[in-house]
Amino acid sequence: DVKVTQSSRYLVKRTGEKVFLECVQDMDHENMFWYRQDPGLGLRLIYFSYDVKMKEKGDIPEGYSVSREKKERFSLILESASTNQTSMYLCASSFRGPNSYEQYFGPGTRLTVT
Amino acid sequence: DAKTTQPTSMDCAEGRAANLPCNHSTISGNEYVYWYRQIHSQGPQYIIHGLKNNETNEMASLIITEDRKSSTLILPHATLRDTAVYYCIVRLRSLRGANSKLTFGKGITLSVRP
């Protein structure tokens, strides 16, 4: 079975802190994604990576950056956390190409910024 | 992307078949229908996808009408663990990059009662 793990299920940070969210997948997937999920807004794509060291902006990249140094690991960085970044963060992975919509999600990290 | 319309909620008895409808009347010829579900406090889970033929896997069956304007996800023997929000998504299959993102609508909340 595909396994996507995220470093924390719950995280509480203060405004202005630098926050790292880690995601690891064990299926040798080329693609990795970071989404955030908010009530009434659904899932929104923050960043996407299709290979090591490659990244593309999603719909809402402002205030975030990412790092993909190894194929299995994709990190989301909040440079200076703000209260409007309080959300559920979901990592996903998939193979590249026609099967890219068969995405496998991690359990999510619920981040609260106070 | 074709828009999808799903009822807000439905319920069914444990052990019975759950038939979840989805309308996608503006679907184009090369767009696929994907189904995902999200159990409370978990990340979304891929279920099944199809183009025009009916599909079946270990989780569910997907029935797509001949005109492809609607589809039905069938859980043949619903269990309490199938209680979740089910999302019907219509997308081209072979897009690359950040266009591989998934756009989840509000979905349909399925409640399986004992």
Side-chain angles (χ1 to χ4, degrees):
Chain A
D1 281 352
V2 175
K3 193 167 184 181
V4 179
T5 57
Q6 296 182 228
S7 50
S8 306
R9 288 302 305 271
Y10 300 94
L11 208 53
V12 179
K13 296 291 182 180
R14 293 190 181 276
T15 301
E17 279 193 82
K18 191 169 186 176
V19 182
F20 293 86
L21 302 181
E22 304 285 338
C23 175
V24 177
Q25 52 93 6
D26 66 359
M27 274 298 290
D28 204 34
H29 284 163
E30 294 90 1
N31 294 341
M32 295 190 76
F33 307 80
W34 275 107
Y35 294 88
R36 62 178 283 180
Q37 186 174 30
D38 301 287
L41 296 176
L43 267 75
R44 293 179 290 169
L45 181 67
I46 305 171
Y47 264 99
F48 161 79
S49 170
Y50 55 89
D51 204 346
V52 174
K53 298 190 185 294
M54 306 304 288
K55 62 184 179 185
E56 286 189 26
K57 293 180 179 179
D59 297 320
I60 51 164
E62 296 78 19
Y64 304 94
S65 62
V66 290
S67 173
R68 184 118 181 251
E69 296 297 318
K70 293 185 178 181
K71 190 175 186 180
E72 68 271 18
R73 188 179 298 269
F74 192 34
S75 302
L76 180 69
I77 304 153
L78 285 66
E79 297 292 342
S80 178
S82 63
T83 55
N84 63 12
Q85 292 178 312
T86 291
S87 186
M88 170 69 86
Y89 289 87
L90 291 157
C91 175
S93 70
S94 74
F95 288 114
R96 194 185 299 164
N99 292 329
S100 63
Y101 290 122
E102 296 169 33
Q103 296 180 14
Y104 296 85
F105 284 79
T109 295
R110 186 164 293 282
L111 172 67
T112 302
V113 182
T114 62
Chain B
D1 299 334
K3 182 180 176 181
T4 61
T5 305
Q6 299 176 258
T8 303
S9 64
M10 66 177 290
D11 63 16
C12 76
E14 190 176 19
R16 303 296 295 269
N19 298 307
L20 288 74
C22 180
N23 286 319
H24 31 79
S25 58
T26 61
I27 192 170
S28 63
N30 52 359
E31 287 183 312
Y32 284 69
V33 180
Y34 290 81
W35 282 84
Y36 278 75
R37 73 178 181 183
Q38 188 169 20
I39 296 170
H40 183 62
S41 297
Q42 295 184 23
Q45 178 188 22
Y46 165 79
I47 301 174
I48 198 167
H49 74 276
L51 181 62
K52 53 184 177 181
N53 297 322
N54 297 338
E55 302 288 344
T56 296
N57 63 20
E58 65 277 5
M59 290 183 67
S61 295
L62 175 61
I63 308 298
I64 302 174
T65 57
E66 192 168 344
D67 63 7
R68 302 210 324 122
K69 293 184 177 182
S70 66
S71 59
T72 301
L73 180 75
I74 300 172
L75 308 178
H77 305 286
T79 70
L80 298 178
R81 289 178 297 176
D82 291 322
T83 292
V85 179
Y86 287 78
Y87 299 97
C88 170
I89 301 166
V90 172
R91 287 302 305 268
L92 293 170
R93 193 179 185 197
S94 60
L95 291 181
R96 300 180 180 180
N99 288 322
S100 298
K101 69 183 179 185
L102 290 169
T103 302
F104 290 76
K106 294 184 178 179
I108 177 172
T109 299
L110 172 68
S111 300
V112 180
R113 60 181 188 276

